[in-house]
Structures are given as C-alpha cells and as structure tokens.
C-alpha cells in the first residue's frame, strides 16, 4: 500500500533528510527501537530505516536517512505529496526499557535521529536521560533541539570543536562516566566503528551497553539470513533477534566484513544511477 509523504525536512541539504509519513497502522504499534523496510519503486531495493519518532494521534511516523548509495538517493528524489511504494513495519524487537536510574544515549551522525526515539522511551519510563551526540562539525549535527526538549542533559561533541567539546562522542561519554558513578545503561547508535569504540570504552566501567546493528537486510523477517551477526559466539539475525544487542558481545570485525561484502556492486549501481540522472559518476 503506497504511503504518502506529508512533510520533508532537508536537515543537511543533499545528504540527510527527514520524512513524516502518513502511516497510522505503523504509528499505532511502533515502539522505540523498531524499524521499517521500504521500497521506493517496484524494482527498488528494500531499505531498512529506524523509526525516529511516532505520533499515534496524528497517525504519522518519522524517518531520517543519510544518502549513501543508489536506494537512498532514489528516496531523496521524492518530495512532500509523493508516495513511497510500500513501507513494512514496525519490525525488529523494541528496545528493552526498564527503570535503571541514569541512561546515557550516544548518537553519531544519522544515528542521532535513530537514538532520539529510544532516548524518549527511557525518559517516559522515568529514567534520567543524558544524551551524547557528535558529528564532524556543527553544520552536520542533527536533533540537538529535539533532544534538548526532553533530555536531562545534551552533551555535544564535534571533531573540529565548532560546537560543544572538541573530539569524538567517546570523549563526551568518558567525561560523563567519570562524573556519574551510577549509570545504569549506555545505548549507542551510529556508524559501526563508533559503536565498537563505545563498547570498548564502557567495558572497563562495567556498564551495560546496548548497540543497534545496521546489518545488510533483505526480508527483515528472519527468512533470508542476510542480516546475520555474531553475538556472544552465536549467530543471530539482526532483524528478528535485534537490531539491539549487548555491545560487549558483538563480533564487530565480522560485522564490518559483511557490511562491505557488496561494495563493488553498490558503487557500480550508484554510479549508474547518477549517470542516468545526468549527474557526475
Ligand atoms: C535496522 C536498520 C536500521 C537502519 N536505520 C537507518 C536510519 O535510520 N537512517 C539511515 O540513514 N540509515 C539506516 N540504516 C542503513 C540504511 O538501510 C542503508 O544506508 C541503506 O540501505 C543503504 O542503501 P543504498 O542503496 O543507498 O546504499 P548501498 O549502495 O546499499 O550502500 C552504500 C554504502 O552504505 C553501506 N551500507 C549498505 N547497507 C547498509 C546498512 N544496512 N547499514 C549500514 N551501512 C550500509 C555500504 O557498505 C556502502 O558503503 C539502517 C539499517 C538497518 C539494518
Ligand atoms: S533480513 Fe533476512 S533474515 Fe534478517
């Protein structure tokens, strides 16, 4: 069933956009941590995207995506009033949210938007929520205002020091962990190297650490095996067993290897897409 785009916000022009979709059937059921899989066209790839927010009353969900290849570039061609061919969800296990005092939610790049829904869920459960967000520079920082509306504290890091602390999200997280003896959980969403660095940092602090694995997915319902990851020495399917897992148990080396398995094909397909649209390859 086609899903209408009610609103499009270009958060970082040409790179990152936010879409508000008319999807009451998903908005009613979606919980923090869930994702959707959508297709832009009949022959299009299936694109998994985290639900960044929901409004069950209005019947809408929000997604935020970074243009990295052919399918996300195709999605970026759609505007307000257009429709997405199909949107399947909510998928994946929702975030396990319990009352645990202070939770630190860490987001890097587009992962900040994905983390937003989870941080909101922890706040609604009565936890004290500290968010640590980071990007290369201030212009690439997402959702600072949105998080400030409910988080108890927003720690900002930028690589060039143009906003907040100069450094990486791990520098901001280390500062928080050194200052706060009673952190119950750290949740990290972002690029794989970032989530791995967060898991390595929290290990000596002995703090429960949850990461959200963005493995390559096809069906999203546990049938194809494309999304398999190794966690605690066992094979898991990120789409149905996750996407959230214990960061201290994830085999990140295997994850990186699988994510780059189709790199030559992905590059070829994007170059062809740009050639057909008259853009430089
Ligand atoms: C559960 C889940 C939730 C996700 N949530 C979001 C989100 O909220 N916002 C967002 O921007 N992206 C999200 N992703 C990643 C997004 O699905 C991919 O970036 C997208 O499918 C890439 O398609 P493409 O054809 O544009 O690029 P491709 O040509 O497929 O890939 C281009 C580059 O992106 C990398 N890549 C490909 N697929 C993935 C993937 N699944 N995850 C990470 N890197 C990938 C490739 O290694 C390659 O370097 C999520 C992925 C999963 C599995
Ligand atoms: S995407 Fe097919 S099993 Fe997970």
């Amino acid at each position: 069933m086609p899903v209408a785009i009610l609103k499009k916000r270009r958060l970082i022009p040409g790179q990152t956009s936010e879409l508000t979709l008319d999807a009451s059937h998903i908005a009613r059921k979606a919980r923090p941590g869930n994702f959707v899989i959508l297709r832009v066209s009949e022959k299009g790839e299936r694109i998994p995207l985290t639900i960044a927010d929901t409004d069950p009353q209005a019947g809408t969900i929000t997604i935020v995506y970074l243009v990295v290849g052919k399918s996300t570039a195709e999605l970026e061609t759609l505007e307000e009033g257009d429709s997405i061919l199909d949107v399947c969800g909510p998928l994946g296990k929702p975030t396990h949210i319990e009352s645990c005092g202070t939770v630190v939610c860490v987001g890097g790049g587009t992962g900040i938007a994905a983390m937003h829904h989870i941080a909101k869920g922890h706040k609604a459960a009565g936890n004290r929520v500290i968010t640590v967000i980071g990007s290369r520079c201030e212009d690439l920082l997402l959702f600072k205002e949105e998080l400030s509306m409910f988080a108890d504290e927003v720690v900002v890091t930028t690589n060039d020091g143009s906003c907040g602390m100069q450094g990486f999200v791990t520098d901001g997280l280390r500062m928080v962990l050194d200052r706060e003896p009673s952190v119950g959980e750290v949740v990290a969403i972002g690029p794989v190297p970032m989530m791995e660095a967060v898991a390595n940092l929290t290990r000596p602090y002995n703090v429960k650490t949850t990461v959200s694995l963005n493995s390559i997915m096809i069906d999203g319902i546990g049938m194809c095996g494309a999304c398999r990851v190794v966690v605690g020495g066992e094979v898991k399917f990120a789409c149905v067993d996750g996407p959230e897992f214990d960061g201290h148990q994830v085999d990140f080396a295997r994850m990186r290897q699988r994510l780059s398995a189709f790199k030559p094909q992905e590059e070829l397909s994007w170059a062809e897409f740009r050639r057909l649209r008259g853009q430089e390859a």
Side-chain angles (χ1 to χ4, degrees):
M1 193 178 64
V3 166
I5 298 171
L6 300 177
K7 190 171 160 207
K8 177 168 181 172
R9 253 198 329 150
R10 287 183 168 78
L11 302 176
I12 306 168
Q15 261 192 48
T16 306
S17 292
E18 177 194 84
L19 302 181
T20 305
L21 307 179
D22 184 8
S24 57
H25 58 299
I26 301 176
R28 267 198 313 271
K29 296 185 203 151
R31 298 281 169 273
N34 283 144
F35 63 96
V36 292
I37 291 191
L38 56 87
R39 269 190 323 155
V40 174
S41 58
E42 199 65 56
K43 289 190 177 165
E45 255 182 344
R46 295 164 62 80
I47 315 174
L49 294 171
T50 306
I51 299 170
D53 208 355
T54 61
D55 185 338
Q57 254 91 47
T60 61
I61 63 166
T62 304
I63 52 171
V64 176
Y65 57 90
L66 174 69
V67 177
V68 290
K70 187 205 162 195
S71 302
T72 43
E74 206 179 4
L75 180 60
E76 179 64 359
T77 63
L78 300 182
E79 299 296 339
E80 252 170 55
D82 289 339
S83 288
I84 297 175
L85 183 67
D86 47 58
V87 182
C88 175
L91 298 168
K93 283 191 177 160
T95 307
H96 179 73
I97 293 178
E98 59 188 0
S99 177
C100 61
T102 300
V103 178
V104 186
C105 296
V106 185
T110 320
I112 299 171
M115 172 273 274
H116 169 261
H117 201 200
I118 295 168
K120 245 177 145 178
H122 275 289
K123 187 67 194 167
N127 289 321
R128 179 168 164 253
V129 174
I130 301 175
T131 59
V132 180
I133 58 175
S135 63
R136 287 204 306 280
C137 61
E138 185 172 17
D139 292 348
L140 302 179
L141 202 60
L142 301 178
F143 273 56
K144 186 168 161 247
E145 279 73 39
E146 287 83 346
L147 291 166
S148 306
M149 285 167 77
F150 66 86
D152 294 280
E153 186 179 348
V154 180
V155 176
V156 176
T157 66
T158 47
N159 299 3
D160 66 358
S162 52
C163 186
M165 243 176 113
Q166 179 164 18
F168 297 101
V169 284
T170 40
D171 296 311
L173 176 60
R174 186 181 295 106
M175 180 195 78
V176 174
L177 291 173
D178 286 341
R179 191 190 72 190
E180 307 269 339
S182 60
V183 171
E185 184 176 353
V186 170
V187 181
I189 307 191
V192 172
M194 183 215 98
M195 293 191 288
E196 184 174 12
V198 166
N200 287 338
L201 172 67
T202 58
R203 200 171 275 114
Y205 288 88
N206 208 15
V207 180
K208 178 182 172 189
T209 299
T210 303
V211 295
S212 180
L213 298 186
N214 48 355
S215 50
I216 290 175
M217 291 188 180
I218 300 174
D219 63 354
I221 52 168
M223 303 292 282
C224 70
C227 66
R228 62 186 179 275
V229 290
V230 176
V231 182
E234 283 179 37
V235 172
K236 301 276 182 191
F237 289 173
C239 66
V240 286
D241 299 321
E244 291 175 16
F245 293 99
D246 178 349
H248 296 151
Q249 300 291 324
V250 172
D251 184 339
F252 284 105
R254 190 82 69 95
M255 167 93 195
R256 276 197 304 274
Q257 197 184 30
R258 284 190 61 78
L259 268 183
S260 58
F262 302 104
K263 207 144 192 116
Q265 291 88 339
E266 287 160 356
E267 279 169 7
L268 207 66
S269 143
W270 199 12
E272 180 63 5
F273 178 80
R274 283 184 287 178
R275 191 185 65 75
L276 288 173
R277 292 184 64 84
Q279 297 165 350
E280 72 176 91

